[in-house]
Each structure stands twice: as structure tokens, then as C-alpha cells.
Amino acid sequence: MGKKHKFDYFDAFEKHSKLAVAEAKLLVETIEQFTEASALHDNMQKAHELEHEGDLINHEIFKTVATDFITPVDREDIIEMSQALDDIVDDIEDVMQHFYMYDIHFMHPQAIEFAKLIKGSCEALDDAMCDFRNFKKSKNFKSLIVKVHDHEEQADQLYIKVIRQLHVEDRENPMRVLVWSKLFDSMEACCDACERASDVMSTIMLKNV
């Protein structure tokens, strides 16, 4: 009987972080090419397909971690890492769905700036994830994690700026303030999700060095 192939959890994490990057790139594309909410169906379908790929990765992780005799890190940490990555992809898909559900008629000028920060957060997280398997020996891993936090701080500052701008410049249009406040809430949540995933990686590192 041939030797059973051992499941590579770190490889699965990397695949999921790359899905997050792909989803973030799709968000940027969606905003740059926006004409009207009713035209978002194709990109929403692409986003859902990426989200489904992430679900399949997590299914394999959960199925394997339940039966593996030995895992590279604690089972609870593997599950938490998987869920944190899944949250990122889910949150980005949510943004595109909200564009459609709220039937927006224009794209806010700061939306593309926010989307590019989300993309940068996902790319920084993916860079860190590609080095995650080497966290015990890597000299770069900590600095890669810091880059994720830097993007989240930039997102916080942009969020404060755009929410104030909405209430100052659009106060006579309360519906616009309400809708775009909710949309920017959703976009800011994407960067928060990247930071949470990087925090899980940092915690795993501290527990295992």
C-alpha cells in the first residue's frame, strides 16, 4: 500500500489568502468599472465562486484536522486561522452585494481609495502567509505582519475622513449619508478582518517559538 499523502495546512492557508487577494482585485475592478448597480451580477457571481472555493478549502481543513493524529500547531489554532481567512473573503463579497442591494446610483470618490487599501491589506497578509510555515526561523515574518497592521491603520484614518465628509458635505441628503456610511462600514470591516487574521498568525507564532 502506498504511503498516505499528508495534508499540508500551510499550503491550504496560502491558497485561501490568495483567494482573498483575487477577491480584493475583483472589488477594485468592480468599483473602477461601475456604471449602475443592476450591472453588477457578473462580478457578484465571480465573487461568489471565489467565496465557494474558500469554503471548499475550509471543508478539507476541518475534515482533516478532526482525524489527524498530529498537527503542526494546535487544532484550535488551525480552525481559528481557517475561519479568519474565510471572514476576509466573505466580507469582501458582502461589499459587492451591498452595492447591489442598496441600488447605488453613483460610486463615491473615496470608494476606490478604500478598495485599494483592502487589496493592499490582502496582499500584505498573503505575503506574510507565504512565510508563515517558516515562522520559527524566518527573519522577515514579523515585519510582514506589521505591514498588515499598517494598512489597517490607514483604513481607520480613511474611514474617519470619509464618514466625517459624508456628514459635513451630504447632511442635506440623509439617505446618501446612511447608505454610504453602511458601505464604508463594510469596507473598513475587510481591513479589520485582515488584521484579525494576522493577529491569529502572531498568536500561533508566540505559542510555538
Side-chain angles (χ1 to χ4, degrees):
M1 181 182 292
K3 186 176 180 181
K4 182 181 177 182
H5 174 70
K6 187 166 179 63
F7 185 81
D8 189 329
Y9 292 98
F10 292 104
D11 185 56
F13 294 153
E14 287 176 31
K15 288 178 181 177
H16 213 154
S17 66
K18 291 188 188 309
L19 285 179
V21 173
E23 190 99 323
K25 288 180 178 178
L26 181 62
L27 176 62
V28 170
E29 176 188 312
T30 299
I31 291 172
E32 288 180 335
Q33 299 177 359
F34 179 81
T35 54
E36 56 184 81
S38 60
L40 295 176
H41 284 96
D42 288 348
N43 280 6
M44 286 171 58
Q45 181 59 35
K46 291 176 185 176
H48 185 67
E49 288 169 2
L50 290 168
E51 188 272 338
H52 181 63
E53 284 185 53
D55 287 344
L56 293 177
I57 292 171
N58 274 6
H59 177 73
E60 285 300 310
I61 290 173
F62 295 156
K63 181 178 72 173
T64 307
V65 78
T67 57
D68 260 0
F69 183 65
I70 298 175
T71 55
V73 297
D74 288 347
R75 297 174 199 277
E76 294 81 3
D77 292 330
I78 290 173
I79 293 169
E80 188 174 5
M81 186 76 264
S82 303
Q83 291 174 332
L85 290 166
D86 194 53
D87 286 344
I88 299 169
V89 179
D90 285 349
D91 287 348
I92 298 173
E93 183 187 17
D94 283 349
V95 173
M96 282 185 271
Q97 289 178 342
H98 284 131
F99 286 158
Y100 177 75
M101 289 187 291
Y102 294 155
D103 190 30
I104 59 173
H105 296 283
F106 76 101
M107 189 56 68
H108 195 285
Q110 265 70 53
I112 188 60
E113 187 178 353
F114 228 129
K116 288 178 178 178
L117 271 178
I118 293 169
K119 176 174 168 285
S121 295
C122 290
E123 289 172 339
L125 182 70
D126 183 52
D127 287 342
M129 189 61 75
C130 290
D131 201 36
F132 187 35
R133 66 175 71 241
N134 305 312
F135 68 80
K136 292 183 180 181
K137 298 179 181 179
S138 175
K139 296 180 181 179
N140 300 317
F141 181 68
K142 290 182 181 178
S143 63
L144 292 171
I145 290 293
V146 169
K147 289 183 179 179
V148 182
H149 288 255
D150 287 345
H151 279 86
E152 194 278 333
E153 288 179 10
Q154 292 177 53
D156 281 347
Q157 292 303 312
L158 180 58
Y159 178 75
I160 292 169
K161 174 185 171 183
V162 297
I163 295 299
R164 173 169 173 75
Q165 183 179 335
L166 279 171
H167 285 79
V168 170
E169 297 181 5
D170 289 310
R171 65 176 64 190
E172 302 302 323
N173 192 333
M175 193 65 189
R176 181 179 294 176
V177 173
L178 175 64
V179 167
W180 276 101
S181 291
K182 287 180 176 293
L183 287 169
F184 284 126
D185 283 348
S186 296
M187 297 182 87
E188 202 260 346
C190 298
C191 293
D192 284 346
C194 287
E195 184 181 46
R196 283 195 296 274
S198 72
D199 287 342
V200 174
M201 295 164 73
S202 295
T203 300
I204 292 173
M205 178 188 70
L206 291 172
K207 289 171 65 175
N208 290 275
V209 293

